[in-house]
Amino acid sequence: MNRWFLRGLRTGIVTTRFPSGIDAMPAGWRGRAVCQEGADAQSIARAAAVCLSGAIEERSGAVDVDRCFQCGECARITPRAFAMSAEFNLAHFSADPTEERARLRERVRSLGKSIMIRHIDVGSDCSEDQEMQALFNPYYDVTRLGIFLTASPRHADLLAVTGAVTGAMAEPLRRTYDAMPEPKVVVAVGTSAASGGIFAGSPGIIGAVERVIPVDIAIPGSPPPPLAIIAGLWLALGRIPPVACR
């Protein structure tokens, strides 16, 4: 016991101060794909052809951040046309930002300081779920921000949904949403939840969460790291400005 106590004194505080302080992803981390200025049409077409999720628009090279699952294949095939950014904060409103912010601010004001999250997996590959669990480890520790998990939708203020919605999970997702008291906020965590990702159009897959229930905030990434999820939750609570990245 004394040894652990002394080790803690020597180590000091290791918990990140994000979002009130600055934090960053480690070197080499792969964010979203970005089309380079001056990229030629042939290179853009080649990148669009290898993009499994169809996130790259063939004419302009614009990248749909909700569909990009950050595999980096476009940058590998056409390094002069595409690059992977180190940006991790990709959360954005699903509708008009001005109206959404005002609406969410009113909701959160009535929720109070602590927020209870109900997490539901509707068809993920578990990678997003692992990142959700990491939010509560000693490094990220979102309980310091007044954010807690709840097992019951009736006690939840915010619904975090991971995965592309499968046919079997559509009704449980709808029931969970209906069971939550008003006001409530819905966050789609991950590329699959935000757009369906590479699973969109597959048999038995309905696709994006917004096809079943209204979504307020989308956090793209496959999976989005804990810092990105914290930024998205903070945005959902109306505490940081939106990032214009869509």
Side-chain angles (χ1 to χ4, degrees):
M1 183 67 183
N2 290 336
R3 190 173 60 182
W4 280 104
F5 179 73
L6 292 174
R7 178 179 292 185
L9 288 178
R10 282 197 299 269
T11 304
I13 298 173
V14 297
T15 304
T16 179
R17 298 187 183 279
F18 188 81
S20 58
I22 297 174
D23 205 341
M25 298 304 296
W29 185 80
R30 210 164 47 210
R32 69 183 179 115
V34 178
C35 185
Q36 306 282 48
E37 190 174 348
D40 61 276
Q42 188 177 5
S43 297
I44 292 175
R46 287 181 60 200
V50 299
C51 181
L52 293 179
S53 63
I56 299 175
E57 209 282 318
E58 192 168 343
R59 291 184 180 177
S60 65
V63 178
D64 185 341
V65 69
D66 278 351
R67 297 188 66 84
C68 175
F69 64 101
Q70 305 164 352
C71 65
E73 186 66 4
C74 56
R76 191 183 71 82
I77 296 293
T78 58
R80 293 184 179 179
F82 284 87
M84 305 305 291
S85 79
E87 182 184 7
F88 67 84
N89 183 6
L90 303 179
H92 62 83
F93 293 107
S94 291
D96 178 67
T98 306
E99 292 182 6
E100 284 293 296
R101 287 194 74 189
R103 192 163 60 88
L104 284 176
R105 196 178 297 119
E106 285 302 314
R107 286 187 188 182
V108 173
R109 186 175 295 140
S110 61
L111 290 177
K113 293 185 67 176
S114 295
I115 302 297
M116 305 299 291
I117 297 179
R118 173 74 171 103
H119 170 217
I120 180 169
D121 174 4
V122 293
S124 80
D125 59 3
C126 294
S127 58
E128 291 93 350
D129 308 318
Q130 290 177 348
E131 301 301 303
M132 285 291 296
Q133 291 176 12
L135 295 178
F136 298 90
N137 71 24
Y139 183 77
Y140 297 107
D141 188 21
V142 292
T143 58
R144 66 192 158 89
L145 304 173
I147 298 174
F148 303 90
L149 277 179
T150 178
S152 170
R154 299 191 185 282
H155 300 158
D157 309 304
L158 187 149
L159 181 61
V161 189
T162 54
V165 185
T166 62
M169 285 302 295
E171 186 57 26
L173 174 60
R174 203 173 288 118
R175 289 185 183 182
T176 300
Y177 177 79
D178 291 340
M180 290 175 63
E182 294 285 352
K184 50 193 171 189
V185 179
V186 178
V187 177
V189 181
T191 297
S192 297
S195 68
I198 59 175
F199 304 107
S202 301
I205 301 293
I206 293 177
V209 174
E210 66 181 4
R211 297 188 64 182
V212 180
I213 59 174
V215 171
D216 299 297
I217 299 289
I219 309 175
S222 189
L227 289 180
I229 300 175
I230 293 173
L233 295 176
W234 221 228
L235 179 63
L237 301 178
R239 293 173 183 169
I240 57 174
V243 178
C245 57
R246 198 174 188 185

